Amino acid sequence: MNKSLISFVQSLNAPAGRPGSLRPDIALSALSMLCIAFSIYPETDLSLRIFQQMLAWLPWIADQAKQGNSINVDISTYLEGIHSVFLVQNASFKEHNPLHDDLIRVLKLPWTHMLVAIDNHCPWKTKCLSLQVVSKLGPSLNSKVVLEVLDLGLRDEAEEVRTEAVISMLVMVLWSGLDVLSPVFERMEYLKKDNEKVKKFLPTSLGLLSCLYGCRRSVSDSHINECKLFVNVKSGRTCLTVDCLLQGFCCSKCNSNFICNLDEQQAIIHRSGMHGAHADFSLDSNFIQLQSLFFELLFDESSEDVQISCVRVIHRILAHGPSDILFKTRFEWIKCVEFLLTSRSKELREAFCSQIRFFVDDLILSLIFAGDADKSKEQKFLDTIKHAMTVAGSPHILETLMECTAEIMVAVNIDSKLFLCSLILLVDQLDSTHMTVRMNASRLIHKSCYFHLKGGLELILSKDVHIRNELYDYLSERLASRLVLVREFAEAVFGVETKELVKKMIPFVLPKLVVSQQYNSQAVDTLCELAKCLNTDMVPLIVNWLPKVLAFALHQTDDQQLISAVQFYHAQTGSDKEEIFAAALPALLDELVCFTDGGDLDEISRRLARVPQMIKGIAKVLTGAEDLPGFLRNHFVGLLNSIDRKMLHADNFMLQRQALNRIEMLIRMMGSHLNTYVPKLMVLLMHAIVKEPLQKEGLSVLHFFIKQLAKVSPSSIKHIISQVFASLLPFLERDKENPSIHLDKVVTILEELVLKNRAILKQHICEFPPLPSIPALTAVNKAIEDARGTMTLKDQLRDVVDGLNHENLNVRYMVVCELCKLLNSRWKDVTALISAEAGSDLDVLSSLITSLFRGCAEESRTTVGQRLKLVCADCLGALGAVDPAKVKGFSCQRFKIQCSDDDLIFELIHKHLARAFRSAPDTVIQDSAALAIQELLKFAGCEASLDENASTTTSQAQKNEDNCNAVASKIKSTKGSNGMNNRGQKLWDRFSNYVKEIIAPCLTSRFQLPKVADSTSAGPIYRTSMSFRRWIFFWIRKLTAHATGSRASIFNACRGIVRHDMQTAIYLLPYLVLNAVCHGTQEARHGITEEILSVLDAAASENSGASVHGFSGQSEVCIQAVFTLLDNLGQWVDDVEQELALSISHPSVSKQHKSKGRSSNSLTDQDQLLVQCKYVSELLSAIPKVTLASASFRCQAYARSLMYFESYVREKSGAFNPAAERSGIFEDQDVSHLMEIYSCLDEPDGLSGLSCLSKSLRLQDQLLMNKKAGNWADVLTSCEQALQMEANLGSEAF
């Protein structure tokens, strides 16, 4: 095939008079078609032969033209083939071609000779092909000769030819270099007089020439910029140049899709042909000429199509224009913008709308709309649009102007001045008299804002403080004069009523209005309008926002603004400065410390730097002194809670980091009172260092906190040292080969704890676990080893037991992990310890096993809590099977359910709530515990003056509250406060100093107890699918809702903590049930009975799906809670009956007991106790003993099951002793069940005794007795009998 093609190509040589050769027209047509086809594969040898063969025909065609012979060959196809050769061959192919003169003569043929039309080729098409070829000859030819062909095309009668000539001038510059620009511009001047169809391509050429100019300047200016022409060479046929340019021309600066598919297209890269200073000067002159021609075409209103073409290339001219030229011609450009904005042609305005975004480039804006001292460049640019909106006489022009404004908003970032100013321009049109204008304004606002953020304008306002403030200021200023605009903005843009919009605006506009009223005459009127929109008066409005106003005034650098605000409030309310500041606390402190509208980081830092001095000033106004720690003491918890709620748990990481800065600032300000708030601060800091984005800042603040605490209260370090170690250990163990990026900071903190506080923490350092052996921790590890000294296994286990009983979950997890390592590394010593006889070592072992079992029952829902249970189980497995006789059982302390309210409060706080507060893993649980403590102390009559550290601030706090009430009394009524009583003092004195230090902040805290509606439903709550935590919470909530008497306040105070802390919930359950049974309605007592039965029935039911060995763990815990409850109620009945019996038989002893327990000694109280005791007894009796026994048996509580079932059998059948006077008759089924229980208790003697009570033992009972007695021969006989009986039953059925 290849040889045949080569032979065929050789036969297509130019005519040489050889016999048998093809006719010239046939040979040339065939060769031209081959050339076009093989141009797709230019690198092959065959293609190169064809290309050279094509050029070899040039002399023959030129000779035919010289001799004046008619041209009978198909010149059109030949020129198309030549054009394809020039497209795919490199420059050297054309430059070393000696046939240039012949080529030019051939290119002129369409104009100089009459050509034979073949294949219906029009004459103008051949001329276009000639122009395409001549435009790609490159700089090697004399430009004068090339321009001759170009002039022929420009003066041709056919519009298609003149159009091709116009576009070919650009290609000529691309191939030949910018040295032909001058003659090109001369010819463009000539074309201005042409008709519209030709002239409309001039702007396109001007725009693309601008790109080529910019490409040349980028070489001299060292900027990256290049132009490429991508031509589809695989199409096989040549298209018009205008189509090629519009589709394939790419400029790296003007085209966003600069990278094209080079597999299908060949890139022709522009090569500059001019260098040196003279060349740059010439280029600038050419660009001035280009720009002048552009303006002349643009302002010529004779052809709208030409104007639109000019508009479409504006971005190219602006992008590549030299700065000096653009600056000199800035007035022409401003005139251009003004002309296009208000043009009468809709198409022209819309075309410019897509181009206006190129004017917002910072450099372009600075050159054309240069700013000055009065106005910025952005303002001058938008003033042009604003003026156009003002003079626009038609709503159609106004709508196009709004489209331009929206394009500007889309083109810039939301933090640009242009975005805000453009937004306000659109908002300003919302009260237009034309409905279409209003609708388009709201639509464009939505569209432009959603382009930047999917949440639209509301999300932008929440993120950008400056835009929000400026927009709200603009709207508030127009409330009085343009209420329609504000209403349209609220309804069409925000989708809310005007009242709701005003509520959103008030926090941001009202402080400015109050502060500026001294020099702004309209401020008071605007305040009145705001109040009017909310259906209130101005005075209540400004009083409600007093903290916000004072905070805003304090943040201003000019002190006169604060004075002005205070004077304004004095004039409106009559209150003096001290009363005004007292009324604003503590919300004022919250605004100063926890603000979230600070703008950029620099502004936030400047504001925070002034906060301590501001608070000192407030303290001086209210107390007359600048004692910052003492003044903040009553507000510290509230500020921390606000930081946690607003910032630390926000979705924005910037706010979270700022929260840590605020916490550090508060730690610095608290001074000697810092130790009181250690648990609260530790919860926040532990939360921060767990979150990876906050670890750096969190560790820094933790280090600062430890240093400050060691400075002001060294003894408090011991309470946090284990918790800090537990939180830092993961940083050290995460990757020992590749330590954490925060390793340096972690080591610094450990050195601060261990080395610098060695004397204080000497007895606690030994509790630390071994740290990884890395060089950075050498000194710390040595200090720990020195403090620990030589420790026996017994000492180590004793320390482990102490650690497992630590209140903090992370510490317990850290300790049990170390225990697991210890058991694995010293398993021989542990085995010897377990195998030893009774002694002190076994006491440690018993304590260890008890602590591990307690860890396996951990109720925490956190990941650490689940891991703790698993590791405790691993440790129990590592200990192995320990002889139960060597292990002491759990201590069973008698539950004291009969107690006074104060005793209950003391037990709750001292044993449960203080622990829950200290060990809380997050602020939700800690705040729930703090709320419960606060309400319980308040109920018991404890006041802030009980705290010794608060003695200096208590009187002032009371004074502040009185002042607050004095100001607020002008608006609404106030309530007085109760004084301290002896009851509160007695309760406070019972707490240990450590507990007092923990709960002291709750004396002055301001947690609010939420009011919740009774959402409990009738009927039992328990479901088998419920978790224990969920069930007990719902039941306690139901019991609390129906609680009565003085205990109701105690139960309500604990309503939140019982959701999170199961120990507190389990502790309160008997008291709640007893309250409902003794003081509640018959319906409440019936509900409790139903709830207990629902739990027991689920366990006792044969259809529950539970087996003896496969009962659900959660259900088993629920049943155990019911058993404990019933035991406690039974104990209460016994105690009351005993006390009543004593009061009857021994009145003097009764009085002593009464003085300790109850305050009343009357007969009425005894009668009431008898009634209550009756109610509880009825409840206990309502629970069937057989149900209790079945539930116990399924939970494998066999001793309890035996107790309940024996009681059931005695009530039913009488005594068990056959020799007794009144021995009953027992049913075989009951005896069989008793035997089954005894078998599980491993009591063979009991089984033998029970067998005497049965009239006829079942085969299964005999089998059971023989198994327990070890009579295996009898067991075998019983089994054979059972099999025989089954076989007989089967045959009878058959």
Side-chain angles (χ1 to χ4, degrees):
M1 181 70 179
N2 186 45
K3 291 181 179 180
S4 299
L5 281 174
I6 293 174
S7 175
F8 178 67
V9 170
Q10 290 175 350
S11 68
L12 299 179
N13 289 333
R18 294 193 305 269
S21 59
L22 293 172
R23 285 197 341 245
D25 57 333
I26 296 175
L28 185 59
S29 296
L31 183 63
S32 299
M33 296 300 292
L34 283 173
C35 181
I36 294 170
F38 276 86
S39 62
I40 301 174
Y41 313 102
E43 303 300 329
T44 63
D45 294 337
L46 183 58
S47 298
L48 292 176
R49 289 190 180 188
I50 293 173
F51 297 160
Q52 292 171 357
Q53 196 87 333
M54 283 286 291
L55 295 178
W57 276 82
L58 282 174
W60 181 85
I61 299 173
D63 288 341
Q64 295 295 314
K66 286 179 184 178
Q67 296 172 10
N69 297 332
S70 60
I71 307 300
N72 296 321
V73 295
D74 185 3
I75 293 297
S76 179
T77 307
Y78 178 74
L79 290 177
E80 188 174 353
I82 291 295
H83 182 258
S84 64
V85 172
F86 283 5
L87 281 178
V88 299
Q89 291 299 312
N90 54 28
S92 61
F93 184 87
K94 291 176 283 185
E95 292 172 2
H96 296 89
N97 184 11
L99 305 174
H100 288 159
D101 294 338
D102 294 336
L103 178 59
I104 294 299
R105 189 172 291 109
V106 171
L107 292 176
K108 290 181 180 180
L109 286 178
W111 288 275
T112 58
H113 289 70
M114 179 64 68
L115 303 177
V116 178
I118 302 176
D119 295 336
N120 296 322
H121 275 81
C122 300
W124 64 265
K125 207 164 189 180
T126 306
K127 295 176 182 179
C128 290
L129 286 169
S130 179
L131 289 170
Q132 290 181 20
V133 174
V134 79
S135 65
K136 299 176 179 63
L137 290 178
S140 60
L141 283 183
N142 186 351
S143 60
K144 182 178 179 181
V145 178
V146 174
L147 292 173
E148 289 177 3
V149 180
L150 180 62
D151 289 338
L152 290 173
L154 292 174
R155 291 175 173 82
D156 197 89
E157 296 178 355
E159 290 180 357
E160 294 85 355
V161 177
R162 297 202 302 276
T163 300
E164 184 68 31
V166 171
I167 300 300
S168 295
M169 287 191 291
L170 174 66
V171 182
M172 190 181 299
V173 175
L174 182 64
W175 252 262
S176 302
L178 298 178
D179 55 348
V180 298
L181 270 179
S182 297
V184 165
F185 282 129
E186 292 175 4
R187 284 152 180 80
M188 285 186 173
E189 291 286 345
Y190 167 77
L191 288 171
K192 288 191 303 183
K193 304 173 184 179
D194 210 325
N195 64 16
E196 183 178 350
K197 290 184 178 180
V198 176
K199 193 164 61 173
K200 70 178 182 181
F201 290 104
L202 277 177
T204 304
S205 297
L206 291 175
L208 300 182
L209 283 173
S210 300
C211 294
L212 296 178
Y213 169 85
C215 181
R216 171 61 187 90
R217 282 192 65 90
S218 69
V219 175
S220 58
D221 294 345
S222 299
H223 296 300
I224 299 175
N225 183 30
E226 59 177 332
C227 296
K228 295 182 179 181
L229 178 61
F230 295 94
V231 182
N232 191 348
V233 297
K234 293 189 177 182
S235 63
R237 305 297 296 184
T238 304
C239 60
L240 294 176
T241 304
V242 62
D243 297 330
C244 177
L245 283 176
L246 293 179
Q247 296 175 10
F249 187 88
C250 284
C251 172
S252 60
K253 196 170 184 180
C254 300
N255 298 90
S256 57
N257 55 343
F258 180 68
I259 300 176
C260 299
N261 188 352
L262 297 180
D263 294 335
E264 297 182 359
Q265 297 178 340
Q266 178 184 7
I268 310 300
I269 303 175
H270 165 63
R271 292 176 296 276
S272 175
M274 301 181 65
H275 306 280
H278 177 71
D280 291 339
F281 176 77
S282 176
L283 285 175
D284 290 346
S285 301
N286 289 333
F287 192 85
I288 293 173
Q289 190 176 359
L290 179 150
Q291 192 171 258
S292 300
L293 181 57
F294 167 78
F295 286 130
E296 188 175 348
L297 293 171
L298 177 65
F299 294 125
D300 183 6
E301 298 188 31
S302 62
S303 174
E304 185 177 309
D305 288 342
V306 175
Q307 288 180 304
I308 293 174
S309 296
C310 289
V311 170
R312 288 173 178 166
V313 299
I314 283 178
H315 67 288
R316 296 186 184 274
I317 298 176
L318 287 174
H320 299 291
S323 299
D324 54 342
I325 295 177
L326 289 178
F327 182 75
K328 289 177 184 177
T329 58
R330 63 187 183 279
F331 297 112
E332 285 84 352
W333 281 108
I334 294 174
K335 179 183 176 182
C336 165
V337 173
E338 294 173 346
F339 169 75
L340 294 171
L341 286 173
T342 57
S343 173
R344 289 170 295 180
S345 170
K346 180 182 178 181
E347 290 75 12
L348 188 58
R349 295 196 310 271
E350 290 177 347
F352 180 64
C353 183
S354 64
Q355 296 287 319
I356 196 170
R357 61 190 178 93
F358 297 104
F359 284 90
V360 302
D361 181 81
D362 190 63
L363 177 61
I364 303 299
L365 211 59
S366 301
L367 294 173
I368 298 177
F369 297 92
D372 51 34
D374 298 329
K375 286 187 178 181
S376 65
K377 57 182 183 291
E378 292 87 0
Q379 288 176 317
K380 286 190 173 184
F381 175 56
L382 289 175
D383 281 348
T384 306
I385 301 178
K386 190 184 299 184
H387 174 72
M389 288 182 174
T390 305
V391 301
S394 167
H396 301 295
I397 296 178
L398 198 55
E399 289 172 14
T400 311
L401 290 171
M402 290 192 300
E403 292 281 356
C404 292
T405 307
E407 284 294 324
I408 294 172
M409 291 178 65
V410 170
V412 299
N413 295 324
I414 60 174
D415 55 355
S416 169
K417 293 181 181 178
L418 287 172
F419 182 89
L420 173 61
C421 297
S422 300
L423 174 62
I424 291 178
L425 278 180
L426 291 178
V427 172
D428 199 59
Q429 301 301 319
L430 288 174
D431 61 346
S432 172
T433 56
H434 303 285
M435 180 178 290
T436 56
V437 173
R438 297 198 303 271
M439 293 176 62
N440 276 306
S442 60
R443 177 183 64 83
L444 291 171
I445 290 172
H446 283 295
K447 174 186 173 183
S448 306
C449 294
Y450 269 92
F451 175 84
H452 290 283
L453 291 175
K454 297 304 180 185
L457 180 59
E458 288 195 61
L459 184 57
I460 290 176
L461 296 184
S462 67
K463 289 182 175 293
D464 196 296
V465 176
H466 178 66
I467 294 178
R468 181 194 62 205
N469 293 342
E470 291 295 328
L471 179 61
Y472 285 169
D473 288 345
Y474 171 85
L475 293 172
S476 64
E477 290 170 3
R478 284 151 183 80
L479 266 175
S481 58
R482 299 173 67 180
L483 183 59
V484 176
L485 181 145
V486 180
R487 183 171 62 248
E488 187 71 19
F489 179 86
E491 296 175 357
V493 178
F494 268 17
V496 297
E497 295 181 354
T498 306
K499 183 178 181 180
E500 296 300 319
L501 173 63
V502 170
K503 286 181 180 179
K504 291 183 178 183
M505 292 166 49
I506 280 179
F508 309 103
V509 301
L510 188 141
K512 295 179 184 178
L513 293 171
V514 173
V515 170
S516 65
Q517 45 79 31
Q518 61 175 336
Y519 53 82
N520 183 0
S521 58
Q522 297 181 353
V524 177
D525 294 336
T526 304
L527 287 171
C528 292
E529 288 295 328
L530 290 171
K532 183 179 178 181
C533 290
L534 298 180
N535 300 321
T536 184
D537 295 329
M538 185 188 72
V539 175
L541 179 64
I542 62 174
V543 170
N544 287 338
W545 292 98
L546 173 61
K548 198 86 174 178
V549 174
L550 292 179
F552 178 80
L554 285 166
H555 278 303
Q556 306 306 307
T557 55
D558 185 4
D559 296 336
Q560 186 61 37
Q561 295 188 354
L562 175 62
I563 296 172
S564 172
V566 173
Q567 290 175 349
F568 180 74
Y569 273 98
H570 175 70
Q572 299 297 326
T573 64
S575 302
D576 59 21
K577 185 176 183 180
E578 184 177 353
E579 292 173 336
I580 291 171
F581 273 95
L585 289 179
L588 173 57
L589 297 176
D590 186 275
E591 292 290 341
L592 291 175
V593 175
C594 310
F595 62 89
T596 58
D597 57 348
D600 58 31
L601 293 178
D602 293 336
E603 181 184 352
I604 292 172
S605 300
R606 287 193 297 269
R607 289 176 63 175
L608 286 178
R610 299 180 63 241
V611 166
Q613 197 61 36
M614 294 177 194
I615 298 179
K616 279 186 179 180
I618 297 171
K620 190 171 184 180
V621 170
L622 296 176
T623 65
E626 296 184 351
D627 179 17
L628 195 56
F631 178 73
L632 281 178
R633 195 175 193 280
N634 294 334
H635 309 285
F636 188 76
V637 173
L639 291 173
L640 288 178
N641 284 333
S642 185
I643 292 173
D644 178 43
R645 183 180 65 257
K646 290 182 181 179
M647 307 177 74
L648 196 58
H649 280 84
D651 294 332
N652 190 336
F653 281 120
M654 292 300 297
L655 276 180
Q656 294 177 11
R657 292 189 177 97
Q658 291 178 33
L660 293 172
N661 294 334
R662 315 293 170 91
I663 293 173
E664 183 177 351
M665 179 184 70
L666 289 176
I667 292 172
R668 185 179 287 107
M669 288 193 291
M670 280 312 296
S672 58
H673 297 294
L674 186 61
N675 60 306
T676 308
Y677 307 97
V678 168
K680 186 70 179 178
L681 287 166
M682 285 300 294
V683 167
L684 297 177
L685 295 178
M686 292 302 102
H687 168 79
I689 65 175
V690 168
K691 299 185 72 172
E692 189 171 347
L694 300 179
Q695 286 176 350
K696 180 181 179 182
E697 293 81 3
L699 290 171
S700 297
V701 178
L702 177 62
H703 184 209
F704 177 74
F705 169 62
I706 292 171
K707 290 195 296 185
Q708 288 293 105
L709 189 62
K711 185 186 301 182
V712 300
S713 179
S715 60
S716 299
I717 293 289
K718 63 184 179 183
H719 299 302
I720 67 167
I721 188 166
S722 297
Q723 189 176 355
V724 173
F725 250 76
S727 63
L728 297 182
L729 203 57
F731 288 96
L732 302 174
E733 294 186 341
R734 190 169 300 162
D735 192 347
K736 296 180 181 179
E737 295 181 359
N738 299 309
S740 168
I741 58 174
H742 307 297
L743 178 62
D744 293 341
K745 178 57 70 174
V746 171
V747 171
T748 304
I749 295 173
L750 292 174
E751 289 176 347
E752 182 74 32
L753 280 173
V754 176
L755 302 182
K756 297 184 180 180
N757 296 283
R758 190 177 311 184
I760 302 171
L761 304 175
K762 186 174 181 180
Q763 60 182 9
H764 298 279
I765 290 178
C766 61
E767 300 174 4
F768 297 163
L771 299 177
S773 299
I774 57 177
L777 293 173
T778 302
V780 176
N781 277 324
K782 187 176 186 304
I784 294 175
E785 290 175 3
D786 293 343
R788 183 179 287 115
T790 302
M791 296 181 67
T792 63
L793 178 62
K794 179 180 175 182
D795 295 332
Q796 289 178 290
L797 293 178
R798 188 178 290 111
D799 289 342
V800 167
V801 171
D802 293 338
L804 287 174
N805 293 324
H806 197 277
E807 60 198 17
N808 186 268
L809 177 64
N810 290 325
V811 174
R812 296 199 297 273
Y813 178 66
M814 175 186 71
V815 171
V816 77
C817 289
E818 292 304 316
L819 172 63
C820 190
K821 298 175 185 177
L822 178 66
L823 295 177
N824 291 328
S825 61
R826 301 188 62 179
W827 63 272
K828 291 184 178 180
D829 296 335
V830 173
T831 304
L833 180 67
I834 295 173
S835 305
E837 296 299 325
S840 60
D841 293 346
L842 295 182
D843 294 337
V844 176
L845 184 62
S846 297
S847 301
L848 177 63
I849 294 175
T850 302
S851 300
L852 289 174
F853 274 122
R854 192 179 294 115
C856 290
E858 175 64 41
E859 286 291 338
S860 174
R861 291 174 292 177
T862 63
T863 304
V864 177
Q866 300 303 315
R867 291 175 182 171
L868 173 65
K869 291 195 286 188
L870 293 175
V871 180
C872 285
D874 289 342
C875 291
L876 287 171
L879 287 173
V882 181
D883 186 357
K886 298 181 179 179
V887 181
K888 294 181 180 179
F890 293 97
S891 60
C892 186
Q893 188 176 359
R894 185 175 175 83
F895 189 77
K896 187 181 179 183
I897 193 171
Q898 181 66 23
C899 62
S900 65
D901 288 348
D902 287 355
D903 289 339
L904 177 58
I905 291 172
F906 175 77
E907 289 286 326
L908 269 172
I909 295 176
H910 194 265
K911 292 187 176 180
H912 298 282
L913 296 178
R915 170 198 53 77
F917 182 80
R918 290 192 305 263
S919 61
D922 57 58
T923 55
V924 174
I925 300 176
Q926 191 176 63
D927 290 346
S928 299
L931 171 61
I933 296 171
Q934 168 193 291
E935 294 300 310
L936 292 176
L937 292 176
K938 189 187 300 182
F939 176 77
C942 298
E943 294 187 347
S945 57
L946 292 175
D947 183 13
E948 297 176 358
N949 295 327
S951 59
T952 59
T953 59
T954 302
S955 59
Q956 185 57 41
Q958 183 65 40
K959 184 178 179 182
N960 292 346
E961 186 174 352
D962 294 339
N963 288 335
C964 179
N965 294 335
V967 175
S969 65
K970 304 178 189 298
I971 311 303
K972 56 184 178 180
S973 62
T974 59
K975 296 181 180 179
S977 58
N978 297 324
M980 183 192 72
N981 54 40
N982 192 41
R983 177 190 175 192
Q985 183 68 55
K986 288 182 179 179
L987 177 64
W988 185 259
D989 292 340
R990 294 173 67 182
F991 294 115
S992 64
N993 291 333
Y994 179 54
V995 173
K996 286 180 183 178
E997 186 177 285
I998 292 172
I999 66 175
C1002 299
L1003 292 171
T1004 56
S1005 59
R1006 293 178 172 84
F1007 291 104
Q1008 295 293 323
L1009 189 65
K1011 295 180 180 180
V1012 293
D1014 182 14
S1015 60
T1016 56
S1017 58
I1021 298 170
Y1022 180 77
R1023 301 289 184 273
T1024 54
S1025 58
M1026 268 188 174
S1027 66
F1028 171 68
R1029 176 187 293 272
R1030 187 175 179 84
W1031 167 68
I1032 200 170
F1033 167 69
F1034 283 145
W1035 194 20
I1036 286 177
R1037 187 177 68 174
K1038 182 177 181 179
L1039 294 170
T1040 303
H1042 297 99
T1044 58
S1046 60
R1047 291 281 169 96
S1049 299
I1050 298 176
F1051 300 147
N1052 274 309
C1054 301
R1055 199 169 57 207
I1057 190 61
V1058 295
R1059 186 185 188 93
H1060 308 287
D1061 189 71
M1062 286 297 97
Q1063 293 185 38
T1064 306
I1066 294 171
Y1067 175 80
L1068 278 176
L1069 182 62
Y1071 294 100
L1072 281 159
V1073 172
L1074 185 64
N1075 179 268
V1077 173
C1078 294
H1079 306 285
T1081 63
Q1082 180 63 33
E1083 182 183 357
R1085 290 190 287 273
H1086 179 68
I1088 293 173
T1089 304
E1090 281 189 331
E1091 191 67 39
I1092 293 174
L1093 285 174
S1094 67
V1095 178
L1096 297 175
D1097 288 341
S1101 174
E1102 290 290 339
N1103 300 322
S1104 65
S1107 64
V1108 173
H1109 299 289
F1111 200 67
S1112 168
Q1114 289 290 334
S1115 299
E1116 189 171 332
V1117 177
C1118 296
I1119 296 169
Q1120 185 60 50
V1122 169
F1123 289 154
T1124 305
L1125 172 64
L1126 295 176
D1127 291 344
N1128 292 331
L1129 294 176
Q1131 173 192 325
W1132 182 85
V1133 172
D1134 293 342
D1135 291 345
V1136 171
E1137 289 178 346
Q1138 183 181 2
E1139 188 174 343
L1140 290 174
L1142 283 172
S1143 65
I1144 295 173
S1145 59
H1146 302 287
S1148 58
V1149 177
S1150 172
K1151 289 181 181 179
Q1152 295 177 3
H1153 282 274
K1154 297 264 185 187
S1155 63
K1156 295 181 182 180
R1158 263 183 292 276
S1159 59
S1160 177
N1161 218 358
S1162 64
L1163 183 61
T1164 304
D1165 288 345
Q1166 291 184 2
D1167 293 340
Q1168 187 178 2
L1169 274 176
L1170 285 172
V1171 173
Q1172 293 172 359
C1173 189
K1174 173 190 172 186
Y1175 287 154
V1176 177
S1177 298
E1178 288 176 350
L1179 171 67
L1180 296 174
S1181 301
I1183 311 298
K1185 296 292 191 300
V1186 66
T1187 303
L1188 289 167
S1190 299
S1192 304
F1193 187 78
R1194 287 190 171 274
C1195 293
Q1196 303 180 48
Y1198 303 120
R1200 181 181 290 273
S1201 179
L1202 178 62
M1203 177 185 70
Y1204 286 130
F1205 201 76
E1206 279 187 347
S1207 176
Y1208 161 73
V1209 171
R1210 282 195 181 97
E1211 292 175 358
K1212 178 181 176 182
S1213 304
F1216 283 100
N1217 187 358
E1221 295 180 0
R1222 297 181 57 186
S1223 176
I1225 300 173
F1226 303 96
E1227 296 183 3
D1228 292 341
Q1229 184 179 359
D1230 294 339
V1231 174
S1232 296
H1233 189 66
L1234 281 171
M1235 293 180 71
E1236 188 176 0
I1237 296 174
Y1238 268 95
S1239 69
C1240 292
L1241 289 172
D1242 199 16
E1243 289 285 346
D1245 295 338
L1247 287 173
S1248 300
L1250 287 170
S1251 64
C1252 301
L1253 299 177
S1254 179
K1255 298 176 182 178
S1256 60
L1257 288 176
R1258 296 180 306 166
L1259 184 61
Q1260 184 179 356
D1261 297 334
Q1262 296 175 7
L1263 180 65
L1264 193 64
M1265 290 177 55
N1266 291 326
K1267 277 185 179 180
K1268 294 300 179 182
N1271 300 326
W1272 299 109
D1274 295 337
V1275 169
L1276 182 59
T1277 302
S1278 298
C1279 290
E1280 289 176 349
Q1281 291 178 4
L1283 291 172
Q1284 184 64 35
M1285 291 174 63
E1286 289 181 2
N1288 293 336
L1289 288 173
S1291 61
E1292 291 177 2
F1294 180 76

